[in-house]
Structure formats: C-alpha cells, structure tokens
Amino acid sequence: MTILSPADRAHNSPFSAQPANMPERRPFARLPTDVSPVNYALWLKPDLVDFTFEGKVEARVQVSRPATNQIVMNCADIDIISASFASGGKEINATGFNYQNEDEKVTLSFPSALQAGSGILKIDFVGELNDKMKGFYRSKYITPTGEVRFAAVTQFEATDARRAFPCWDEPAIKATFDITLIVPKDRVALSNMNVIDRKPYPDDDNLLEIKFATTPIMSTYLVAFVVGEYDFVESQSSDGVTVRVYTPVGKAEQGKFALEVATKTLPFYKDYFNVPYPLPKIDLIAIADFAAGAMENWGLVTYRETALLIDPKNSCSSSRQWVALVVGHELAHQWFGNLVTMEWWTHLWLNEGFASWIEYLCVDHCFPDYDIWTQFVSADYTRALELDALDNSHPIEVNVGHPSEVDEIFDAISYSKGASVIRMLHNYIGDEDFRKGMNIYLTKFQHKNASTEDLWDCLEEASGKPVAAVMSSWTKQMGFPIIVVDQEQHGEDSVLKISQKKFCASGPFNGETCPNWMVPISICTSEDPSRPKLTMLLDSPETTVTISNLGPSQWVKINPGTVGFYRIQYSSTMLDSLLPGIRDLTLPPVDRLGLQNDLFSLLHKQADMQEEKNRIERVLGAISDAELTQKVLAFALSVCVAHFFSCR
Ligand code: BES
Ligand code: ZN
C-alpha cells in the first residue's frame, strides 16, 4: 500500500506500471456461499496498554439447503476461543476450528448439520493490536505535554477485516453491522455510524460501552473504528449531513480547510449523481500512523495527517490542492464504491480510476481558480502514457484471486490510466449523458454489487453510444495508440489521413498483430481552438476525414483539451502550421502541454536526428515560458549527447 503525494503523482511515484517481483499466482477459491451473513453484532474491547483486544461477534446468518455442518469464513491472526450456532431454540457448540493460515480462512465444524434458514453464529475471540498498519492496529502519537500514547485504528481494504474479527471478507458479501466499542472513558470512540448509546461498562468503572447505529448493508472492507484522543471541528453541509474533521489534540484549526472542502463536496456529489448521501454523518480523521494516503470507510474516512491537515499560517497552495483532491476522492467513493461496490477486486481499477477522475471534477467545481485539470494532464495523464508505453505494462483489468495479488493492482495503471480513460469516455459521451448513466447505475445497483460491464451498460443506455465496445478496447489491452495524421488540401477542403498503431517507448511495434483501439477523436481548427469542429470514432487501422471550408492560413489540431488517451504524430507541415497558435497562445495550455509531451516522447524514437532537432527548435522558439524552455533544452541536449555517443 502506498501514499500518492502530489510529487509522487507527478514524478517518481512508488507506484510502477508493473509491480516488481510479481509473485507466482497462488491457488485461490472464493468462500462457499451455503452460509452467508445478514447482520453482524460486533463487540470489541481494545487494550491500549497491552496492545491486545477481546472480541465477540454474533452473526445472523442464512443457511441454505442442503444444510452443512461446517462454516468456512475468513480469519487471520485471531485466536477463536469458542463458537456456537443457534437456531430454532437449539444451540450447538463448534467442536473444531481448523485454521487454513495460507488462505486466511477458518473452518468451524459442528457435531450435527446446521438447520437450514436463519441462525446465529456466536464467536468469542482475541487478537493483537498490531503494529503493521493493517487490520486493527495501534498508532503512536505524542500528546501536547510530550507523552507517548497509542490509539487503536483500523485499515481493512483490501482484505484485512479478517484480522479484526472472523467474517466473510469479500466485497460482494454485504451485511449490516451493529458495532459496540468498550473504551477508556476519556477516549474518543468512532465508527461508521453515529453513537446511539453510551453507558458505563459493568465490569470496570474506567470503561464505557459505546454503541453505534446499525449501518446500511455494506462490505467488510469499509467497516472502521477508531479509539484515541482527538479534537474536532464541525459543520453541517447544505444537504443536512453532520461533517466533522478530527485532528490531533490542540490542532483543530488545521482541520478547517478540509471541513470547508467536505461541506462543499457532499452537495456537489449529491447533485451530480442525483442520489443523496445515505448516512446521517461523516467523520474525516487524521491518523498518526497510516500506510495509504486515505481510506474511504463509509462514514469514517481515515487520512494520513499530510492528506487532511492544513496549517493556515504555514501552507502552500499545492498542499491545499492535494488535501482538496484527496477529500474529493474519498467522498466520491461514498457513492461509487460504498453504496455500489465492485463485485470482485478485478473491478478495483474502476473504483479507483473513477474516484481519481471525479476528484478533479469536484475540485474544479469547488475551487475553479486552481485550474486543476491542467494539473491532471501534467501529472496523471502524462504519467500514465509514460508507464503504459513500456513493454512491462499491463491491461487495466487484471484477474485477481489470492489476497497477495489484490494489493499488487493498486498501481498507477489502475489509478492514472483508469482516470484518463474515464475522462476520455466522459468527453466522448458528454456530461449530460454521463450524469444520466451514473444515476441509472447508482440507483439500479445501490446497496448491491456491480461489475465494470454494468457501468458500461448504464452509460450505453443513457447515451446510445457503443460504450462497452469502446471501453473494452482500452481496459482489456495494455498500451495505447499513436495517431499518425497527414493533411492534403483539395480545393476548399482539407483531407486528413488518420491512422493508428501501438505506441511503444522502446521503438516501433514489432509484435505479430498490431492491436487496434476504438479511438474517440475530436478535431478543432484555429477558428475555435477550444471547441471540436468534428468528432469521430476511429475503429479501424486507418481512415480519412474531410474538413470543408478550411482557409489556407488555418491550422488543424487533433485532441483539443488533451482528453484522448493517445499520442499524436503530425506531419511536418501540420506541425509547422500549429506554430502561430503556440506563439500567440491561442492554443490553450493543456493543448500545448500535450503537444510538447508527445514531441518529447517521439524524439526518442526518431532515427533522423537533424529533422527532429529542427522540430525541437521550432517548438522551443514558440513556447516562451522560461521554465519550460529550460526543460526542453535540457532534454534535447541529453538526446543529442546520447546520440553523439551511440554514433561513436
Ligand atoms: N481505497 C484507497 C485506499 C487504499 C489504497 C486501500 C491501497 C488499500 C490499498 C483510497 O481511496 C485511495 O485511493 N487512496 C489514495 C489517495 C487518493 C487521493 C489517490 C492513497 O492512499 O494513495
Ligand atoms: Zn480510492
């Protein structure tokens, strides 16, 4: 698990296209479905001194016919003390707990077959508040008086709820949760839902028993609880949700910016999806020891301190932008991921790719002066193109099974390429149909699970466009195309010859059959550089299009807004014709950025250095920004030096 800071996103992210040392695929089977949970009543009593916890779960389950005498569930690093099954007024004790440690499962055996229908499975267990930042773990903090103390916190995604309580730990096995925490009376205790009861714990005067409201039906990886010392700032969003930002003691001020973002963001998503936020409250909390950047637990979002807190006196605008993006990302998951959940981890890319795209839409809405889409292009989009051009990239959609494989796919291909192809799709079908399709999807599958194809079907229904066919070509194949464009003038008309081939960083594609993409292409001219004059879907290796009434001095630009996930190689004449638009800045910044990035990447691949040097000089002369010029120069110089040495 890794944090994505803004710098990571732009430069040397620890996320790589292909995780190094990818382990061998391990045999894996999903849980049997003959016993499935409906509700978990869960009691947990963490010991913040000894770093252990005691737990009890009473799961209301449904047993299907023919009845079994075994229950298989997930369990890791937990010791079960006793287990029993009750139904129809009869209770039987489990006679054996068979732990399959490699598979993170336990099989409970009963002396007779369980009665089919509804029953209650009771399990008493103990565990360790570990220091591994997963499952139910301890997080160290220093009090304002300099004392070292520990909080107990959770991180369950992807497959670590099983380290806090025995459960059916798969995203499609949803149930409701009634959580009770037994905690020292001077500590804050939080969970997904609001507190409904707080009373003294019978066995110990220093403890309180805190009961939370029943959750909606949800996946185990979104369950969360926190016990520690925190201050908070609170506000109410315009749609009536209580929002709190919890900070370390004495730092409540630093939660104010995130509070502002969250109270603006909730109504934005409610309006965008036309689906209300279904819980009465949402807490955002800064955790001292946190492995990821942030985690979207339903109603209790956990953050690394740097992804949530802003010191009003000492913070730069890039830190504020980062906090806004992370808050926008995790709150998007409250709908996309939490309300409608991926059926299996294979669809994780959609969860993360979608949130990584819409966080920008949300920040652009809440803070238009950030010009945040330019940042998307310079960070996520260009990074995804760079990684995905490598021979060791992988398709967005990968089949995963064993837990060890799931963590591997939280990478830049899922996040940044995922976000980029969703942005391309949004542009292809347009905002109105996209929103309509999102509403169909979230309404149809709310409180259920869905697959990537389900989303394509809903967007197809809303737009009437071949969304599934287009998107499959981007998610099931690795890499992307380079679009080669040439222009010929036929009287008043301009004829463009457009073709596609796979773009490889290492040189020309030399595999057997070149893959083909269904490429949404838009074309603009100098008449209006920000609005497409023509849009088309390139679904073959090559085609021609005619632009009528194009004056001799007008230029043609492919991919306005740099929204298509491909590179473009213009003929020299076309590239030359773009120079006036670059010089007088009528070509918008994201277009100049995209063009410059394409030229850089093409430089690597050109044998004829002189011609390429001329191209660089032309772009250099045109791009007047001093910093950019310096970068281009340094790069061009390094290419020339490399060429010089390779010739000798
Ligand atoms: N769901 C993830 C958190 C996560 C990441 C859990 C990896 C388990 C493994 C969360 O929504 C997320 O994507 N967090 C990002 C920050 C985000 C703004 C891109 C992270 O933690 O880097
Ligand atoms: Zn996410």
Side-chain angles (χ1 to χ4, degrees):
M1 205 184 313
T2 339
I3 181 169
L4 280 175
S5 75
D8 288 339
R9 279 190 166 189
H11 314 294
N12 53 347
S13 166
F15 284 1
S16 61
Q18 174 79 17
N21 310 320
M22 178 85 97
E24 290 282 294
R25 286 187 75 89
R26 292 214 230 156
F28 171 78
R30 276 164 77 163
L31 290 169
T33 53
D34 51 358
V35 180
S36 53
V38 178
N39 169 268
Y40 294 85
L42 179 64
W43 288 260
L44 282 161
K45 184 164 165 273
D47 185 326
L48 298 170
V49 177
D50 288 347
F51 306 138
T52 56
F53 60 90
E54 290 171 26
K56 181 172 77 157
V57 64
E58 285 186 14
R60 187 146 47 80
V61 298
Q62 201 57 35
V63 180
S64 66
R65 233 172 264 282
T68 167
N69 71 336
Q70 289 195 328
I71 297 179
V72 183
M73 56 202 300
N74 290 115
C75 180
D77 301 334
I78 276 178
D79 286 326
I80 295 179
I81 295 165
S82 64
S84 66
F85 182 82
S87 76
K90 231 179 72 192
E91 184 160 342
I92 48 175
N93 289 325
T95 44
F97 321 131
N98 183 6
Y99 297 97
Q100 293 109 261
N101 290 336
E102 279 282 290
D103 293 341
E104 302 181 347
K105 288 177 186 161
V106 66
T107 304
L108 308 177
S109 302
F110 293 88
S112 55
L114 310 176
Q115 211 178 83
S118 181
I120 303 277
L121 172 69
K122 286 187 200 165
I123 306 177
D124 285 304
F125 55 93
V126 291
E128 185 200 6
L129 280 180
N130 71 67
D131 60 356
K132 300 192 184 103
M133 293 195 278
K134 60 183 187 179
F136 198 13
Y137 71 92
R138 58 184 191 259
S139 166
K140 184 171 158 181
Y141 61 94
I142 317 273
T143 65
T145 54
E147 232 182 290
V148 173
R149 293 217 189 121
F150 290 86
V153 303
T154 57
Q155 169 58 43
F156 289 168
E157 190 179 13
T159 56
D160 293 317
R162 64 194 66 176
R163 290 173 206 281
F165 57 101
C167 57
W168 287 261
D169 197 11
E170 293 184 0
I173 311 185
K174 289 192 175 189
T176 57
F177 289 82
D178 287 287
I179 294 172
T180 304
L181 297 175
I182 294 125
V183 302
K185 60 184 179 198
D186 58 347
R187 298 294 143 107
V188 173
L190 301 169
S191 187
N192 305 83
M193 298 298 289
N194 49 305
V195 174
I196 51 166
D197 194 21
R198 183 189 297 269
K199 58 182 185 211
Y201 184 64
D203 302 349
D204 188 336
D205 284 353
N206 290 317
L207 299 180
L208 282 180
E209 196 175 302
I210 299 184
K211 187 170 166 53
F212 299 89
T214 310
T215 69
I217 184 163
M218 64 188 283
S219 307
T220 45
Y221 81 91
L222 296 167
V223 170
F225 18 90
V226 173
V227 181
E229 290 171 289
Y230 301 95
D231 282 345
F232 66 86
V233 282
E234 179 183 315
S235 172
Q236 195 91 1
S237 75
S238 63
D239 51 335
V241 181
T242 303
V243 188
R244 281 184 178 181
V245 175
Y246 283 87
T247 71
V249 171
K251 294 190 178 169
E253 271 291 289
Q254 298 187 17
K256 284 189 171 160
F257 178 70
L259 186 68
E260 177 198 340
V261 178
T263 42
K264 282 185 176 164
T265 295
L266 284 173
F268 169 75
Y269 286 135
K270 179 185 177 227
D271 186 51
Y272 194 82
F273 298 132
N274 199 14
V275 174
Y277 174 74
L279 310 185
K281 66 96 177 172
I282 188 154
D283 296 324
L284 292 76
I285 184 164
I287 305 289
D289 296 311
F290 199 71
M295 175 65 210
E296 70 266 26
N297 316 298
W298 214 356
L300 176 55
V301 186
T302 41
Y303 294 82
R304 199 174 255 240
E305 291 186 350
T306 49
L308 189 70
L309 305 179
I310 292 291
D311 181 345
K313 286 183 228 84
N314 297 303
S315 75
C316 54
S317 54
S318 73
S319 317
R320 279 194 297 276
Q321 288 179 9
W322 177 237
V323 168
L325 287 169
V326 183
V327 171
H329 179 108
E330 304 309 337
L331 296 196
H333 278 313
Q334 305 298 307
W335 284 260
F336 200 95
N338 301 8
L339 182 62
V340 178
T341 311
M342 70 228 133
E343 200 277 324
W344 185 249
W345 298 112
T346 303
H347 308 284
L348 172 114
W349 83 268
L350 186 64
N351 214 26
E352 295 305 344
F354 182 88
S356 300
W357 165 74
I358 206 167
E359 63 184 72
Y360 283 88
L361 197 73
C362 167
V363 170
D364 193 43
H365 170 87
C366 299
F367 303 95
D369 55 313
Y370 286 0
D371 185 23
I372 205 76
W373 282 114
T374 307
Q375 210 152 292
F376 178 87
V377 172
S378 75
D380 287 76
Y381 173 89
T382 53
R383 172 158 180 72
L385 287 174
E386 267 160 35
L387 285 170
D388 205 27
L390 302 175
D391 294 340
N392 71 344
S393 185
H394 63 83
I396 285 184
E397 249 187 75
V398 259
N399 281 322
V400 286
H402 196 275
S404 61
E405 292 164 10
V406 179
D407 275 353
E408 305 279 348
I409 55 170
F410 284 89
D411 69 0
I413 294 295
S414 297
Y415 277 77
S416 298
K417 183 179 178 185
S420 300
V421 298
I422 298 212
R423 177 165 170 258
M424 176 166 69
L425 169 65
H426 173 260
N427 191 263
Y428 168 55
I429 70 173
D431 190 61
E432 200 182 322
D433 287 345
F434 193 88
R435 281 171 78 152
K436 220 190 284 171
M438 285 311 302
N439 177 262
I440 298 174
Y441 174 80
L442 291 172
T443 312
K444 183 168 174 191
F445 295 101
Q446 61 181 319
H447 304 295
K448 298 200 188 96
N449 295 81
S451 68
T452 306
E453 283 66 33
D454 291 324
L455 179 63
W456 301 159
D457 288 350
C458 295
L459 293 169
E460 205 157 301
E461 183 186 331
S463 67
K465 291 192 170 148
V467 173
V470 170
M471 291 309 285
S472 302
S473 75
W474 296 93
T475 62
K476 293 190 194 294
Q477 310 187 98
M478 78 172 212
F480 58 88
I482 175 153
I483 306 295
V484 181
V485 201
D486 206 350
Q487 184 182 22
E488 270 179 26
Q489 201 63 31
H490 292 191
E492 298 279 277
D493 293 344
S494 183
V495 178
L496 299 184
K497 197 173 138 212
I498 300 179
S499 61
Q500 61 164 304
K501 58 186 185 193
K502 185 175 189 307
F503 180 85
C504 304
S506 55
F509 174 78
N510 58 9
E512 273 177 10
T513 39
C514 192
N516 233 350
W517 284 264
M518 287 181 80
V519 193
I521 290 181
S522 50
I523 302 166
C524 70
T525 69
S526 38
E527 221 171 52
D528 187 349
S530 57
R531 179 148 337 136
K533 191 173 177 84
L534 201 145
T535 56
M536 57 175 285
L537 189 63
L538 175 68
D539 56 2
S540 54
E542 66 174 76
T543 192
T544 52
V545 286
T546 303
I547 304 177
S548 38
N549 301 324
L550 191 77
S553 63
Q554 283 201 45
W555 47 257
V556 173
K557 162 87 175 47
I558 315 291
N559 201 14
T562 317
V563 284
F565 192 71
Y566 42 80
R567 294 201 185 280
I568 299 157
Q569 184 179 347
Y570 293 99
S571 66
S572 300
T573 335
M574 285 187 84
L575 193 63
D576 273 341
S577 73
L578 284 172
L579 279 168
I582 296 172
R583 289 207 179 99
D584 65 15
L585 306 181
T586 49
L587 193 66
V590 277
D591 289 87
R592 279 180 274 142
L593 204 58
L595 187 63
Q596 188 194 41
N597 199 264
D598 285 353
L599 289 176
F600 277 164
S601 72
L602 286 169
L603 260 179
H604 274 308
K605 295 158 58 82
Q606 299 300 324
D608 183 346
M609 286 308 292
Q610 192 52 49
E611 193 189 324
E612 286 319 307
K613 259 178 67 186
N614 294 344
R615 276 192 184 193
I616 291 171
E617 279 165 13
R618 285 200 295 270
V619 179
L620 260 180
I623 300 174
S624 48
D625 181 282
E627 200 187 335
L628 285 182
T629 308
Q630 215 173 12
K631 277 189 194 159
V632 178
L633 268 174
F635 187 83
L637 191 66
S638 71
V639 172
C640 291
V641 169
H643 184 70
F644 177 71
F645 281 110
S646 68
C647 287
R648 291 166 68 97

